[in-house]
Amino acid sequence: MSFIEKIHDFIRHNRLMDKNKKYLVALSGGADSVSLLLALKELGFDVDAVHCNFHLRGEESERDEQFCISLCKKKGIEIHIVHFNTMEYAALHKVSIEMAARNLRYAYFEQLRNDICADGICVGHHREDSVETLLINLIRGTGINGLTGIAPKNGFILRPMLCVSRADIEKYLNDKGQDFVTDSTNLIDDVTRNKIRLNLMPLIRSINPSADKDIANTANRINEAAKVFNNAIEKAADRVSTVKGVYTIINIPSLLNEISPEYTLYNILSRFSFSPATIEDIYNKLQSQVQSGKIFSSATHRILIDRNDIIVEPIDKGTDKRMTVPECGTYVYSETTKLRIKETEIDGSFKISREKHVASFDATKVKFPIKIRRTAEGDWFVPFGMNGKKLISDYLTDRKVPLFDKQRQLVITDADGNIIWIVGERSDNRFRIENGSAKALVIELVKN
């Protein structure tokens, strides 16, 4: 089978491209990207080229740009050129040069794809690239999905050449008499991928000359196995977890009863930015029957081990928010919470609401401005119907309120700092309406 036929069959088998749609081809000027551009053009796909000049290699960067412009002009292909100050970006964002170039490249690709209404961005990764990725993941430590190599499609990123080798690419270009440029940085073993490409792979090939093909075939088989595995783990995750409002709740006994509890836990918690190391630590705590109350955090979420449950919630950036209310009216405390506050005459038609989200007070006892805030350590009140004071933390514990709910519990205080209402829970007895009270202050909690 010819080079072109291999790519055509790979595109068709993986449903990567449609000849009625437009695509971008990332063109560096190297053998991989040049062969990809020419092959797709030869197969009749509608393609534009896009070249990124990262200004990292002096005259060599300018040489690559001019080569790409000349090639596209000769082949009648439209080319888009973008220039980046990669060093400045890396310094500003405190990332490696390699990561800076990657971030800049793919962000621009996506922007351009939208601008010209392209259906995908084709990049020139080939079989050896996929093998190198597998080995990098293996060396760093990976799960089963890290052993599947590079995917043919990832969002709008398409890789039509994973079915061919570097030797296939060079032969194709040589047969066409097509030259290309060489990035000198690829010849220096200064980064992990180059070390594998320049040092490790030659050693592996000395043991097995067809190692690239054999490893790629193994990755394909692992990929098929991973589909079965992931499907089973997804079903296990659904069995052991439920979603209640902002919470994801994992039942620990059900989790530990699964065939692969650790992978099931990883499947769930990795969605919430928890690292493999943290997930392993959480799992080990479950195995050792850790006490309730242990908390773990990621960049976006936090976890509470609470008796027989693992409770996951998004980190609330408004934890310390306080609002001062100078008078009656409607006040928005957060995107999901607002309060309606009104004063009304206590007459024959007035009735004290029994709803948990409404509280009524003797208006003459409450001094404005009142404040809305989260409960804090040491807060106390006099529960309605009682005379002695009680710590709010103790009250919520008696009510079996989960720790996360305790920490986000709202209270309302008067001008003197006295807590008049644990919002949605219980009012303070000192501010109750009594016989002879003339006006009521009614506060209603409204949840969106």
Side-chain angles (χ1 to χ4, degrees), residues 36-284:
L36 174 63
L37 181 68
L38 298 186
L40 294 179
K41 184 72 172 175
E42 189 174 336
L43 285 169
F45 290 101
D46 181 9
V47 293
D48 282 7
V50 52
H51 176 77
C52 301
N53 189 332
F54 297 103
H55 293 281
L56 294 173
R57 294 175 287 119
E59 292 182 3
E60 198 174 279
S61 293
E62 303 309 313
R63 176 208 65 184
D64 294 354
E65 180 178 324
Q66 291 307 311
F67 173 86
C68 292
I69 292 172
S70 176
L71 174 65
C72 289
K73 183 177 181 181
K74 181 179 178 181
K75 300 297 180 180
I77 299 171
E78 185 173 351
I79 186 169
H80 307 266
I81 305 288
V82 63
H83 292 248
F84 296 119
N85 189 332
T86 314
M87 298 287 285
E88 182 178 309
Y89 178 95
L92 180 64
H93 294 274
K94 295 181 174 58
V95 295
S96 68
I97 295 297
E98 185 181 32
M99 183 58 69
R102 174 185 171 80
N103 292 347
L104 289 166
R105 175 168 65 246
Y106 282 106
Y108 177 72
F109 287 168
E110 180 59 16
Q111 176 188 325
L112 180 60
R113 185 191 69 79
N114 284 310
D115 289 346
I116 68 170
C117 298
D119 202 61
I121 303 147
C122 302
V123 295
H125 292 132
H126 51 77
R127 188 168 65 202
E128 282 93 324
D129 290 320
S130 185
V131 170
E132 290 163 9
T133 297
L134 184 155
L135 292 174
I136 288 171
N137 291 340
L138 182 61
I139 290 168
R140 291 174 175 170
T142 184
I144 188 172
N145 292 305
L147 299 176
T148 60
I150 300 176
K153 183 175 183 179
N154 184 9
F156 290 103
I157 303 298
L158 312 176
R159 301 180 176 94
M161 295 207 307
L162 291 176
C163 57
V164 297
S165 67
R166 173 71 184 197
D168 293 332
I169 289 169
E170 292 180 354
K171 183 179 185 304
Y172 170 72
L173 293 177
N174 185 60
D175 290 347
K176 295 180 74 69
Q178 175 63 57
D179 59 346
F180 54 88
V181 297
T182 300
D183 183 343
S184 61
T185 61
N186 289 335
L187 305 177
I188 305 171
D189 61 350
D190 59 340
V191 294
T192 301
R193 184 175 293 275
N194 283 0
K195 289 177 180 178
I196 290 174
R197 179 178 300 160
L198 300 174
N199 302 321
L200 182 58
M201 287 310 301
L203 177 61
I204 292 175
R205 292 186 192 109
S206 72
I207 301 171
N208 176 11
S210 61
D212 297 275
K213 184 177 180 180
D214 292 341
I215 293 173
N217 287 338
T218 298
N220 289 335
R221 289 190 287 271
I222 293 174
N223 186 50
E224 291 304 307
K227 291 176 184 177
V228 178
F229 175 82
N230 290 332
N231 180 261
I233 291 297
E234 283 289 342
K235 290 179 179 178
D238 290 340
R239 284 194 294 269
V240 305
S241 64
T242 56
V243 176
K244 295 183 179 179
V246 299
Y247 298 128
T248 296
I249 301 173
I250 305 166
N251 182 263
I252 295 173
S254 297
L255 172 69
L256 296 178
N257 198 41
E258 289 294 331
I259 292 175
S260 180
E262 186 171 5
Y263 263 96
T264 302
L265 186 64
Y266 178 82
N267 176 276
I268 300 170
L269 298 187
S270 60
R271 308 169 192 174
F272 305 117
S273 304
F274 287 93
S275 69
T278 301
I279 296 171
E280 183 179 0
D281 188 22
I282 294 169
Y283 181 70
N284 289 337

Side-chain angles (χ1 to χ4, degrees), residues 239-242 244 247-256 265 269 282 286 290-296 303-312 402-404:
R239 284 194 294 269
V240 305
S241 64
T242 56
K244 295 183 179 179
Y247 298 128
T248 296
I249 301 173
I250 305 166
N251 182 263
I252 295 173
S254 297
L255 172 69
L256 296 178
L265 186 64
L269 298 187
I282 294 169
L286 301 183
V290 67
Q291 295 291 322
S292 289
K294 184 70 177 175
I295 294 177
F296 302 84
I303 281 173
L304 168 68
I305 299 178
D306 182 42
R307 301 179 183 87
N308 286 327
D309 292 321
I310 298 171
I311 303 174
V312 188
L403 177 61
F404 285 167

